């Protein structure tokens, strides 16, 4: 994977789509989720539009805010 940007990888795309689905399924808007996370709402948009990657700690906090299991999200990355 040398030279590839994980922000635009297939794995990141699947993860971002999963996070967006989880947010919508939980009834959150970008703004309401950002309030739970204590971030600007633009942060949610950038994650969902693959303009920004989440580090591991951010990912876990994001999942906790959505009340979903981070392992389920990781399966989106590890399974084709």
């Amino acid at each position: 994977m040398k030279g590839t940007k994980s922000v635009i990888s297939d794995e990141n795309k699947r993860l971002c789509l999963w996070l967006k689905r989880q947010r919508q399924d939980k009834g959150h808007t970008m703004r309401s989720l950002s309030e739970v996370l204590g971030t600007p709402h633009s942060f949610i948009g950038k994650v969902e539009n693959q303009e920004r990657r989440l580090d591991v700690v951010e990912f876990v906090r994001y999942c906790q805010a959505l009340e979903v299991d981070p392992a389920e999200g990781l399966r989106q990355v590890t399974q084709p």
Side-chain angles (χ1 to χ4, degrees):
M1 290 191 69
K2 185 177 180 182
T4 62
K5 293 186 177 187
S6 62
V7 169
I8 57 172
S9 68
D10 289 340
E11 294 89 350
N12 194 60
K13 182 177 182 178
R14 288 194 304 268
L15 181 63
C16 291
L17 288 172
W18 179 81
L19 288 169
K20 183 176 182 176
R21 257 191 332 271
Q22 297 306 309
R23 176 181 61 77
Q24 293 170 334
D25 289 350
K26 298 288 182 173
H28 277 290
T29 62
M30 282 190 243
R31 194 169 298 276
S32 68
L33 181 58
S34 72
E35 288 172 3
V36 173
L37 287 167
T39 63
H41 70 278
S42 61
F43 172 82
I44 307 300
K46 288 178 181 179
V47 169
E48 290 184 0
N49 291 318
Q50 300 181 68
E51 296 170 18
R52 189 191 186 290
R53 275 187 301 189
L54 295 172
D55 68 28
V56 174
V57 174
E58 289 172 326
F59 172 70
V60 170
R61 289 180 181 157
Y62 204 105
C63 289
Q64 288 172 334
L66 290 170
E67 299 179 346
V68 296
D69 184 0
E72 187 180 338
L74 291 176
R75 282 191 284 279
Q76 305 301 310
V77 175
T78 60
Q79 296 176 355

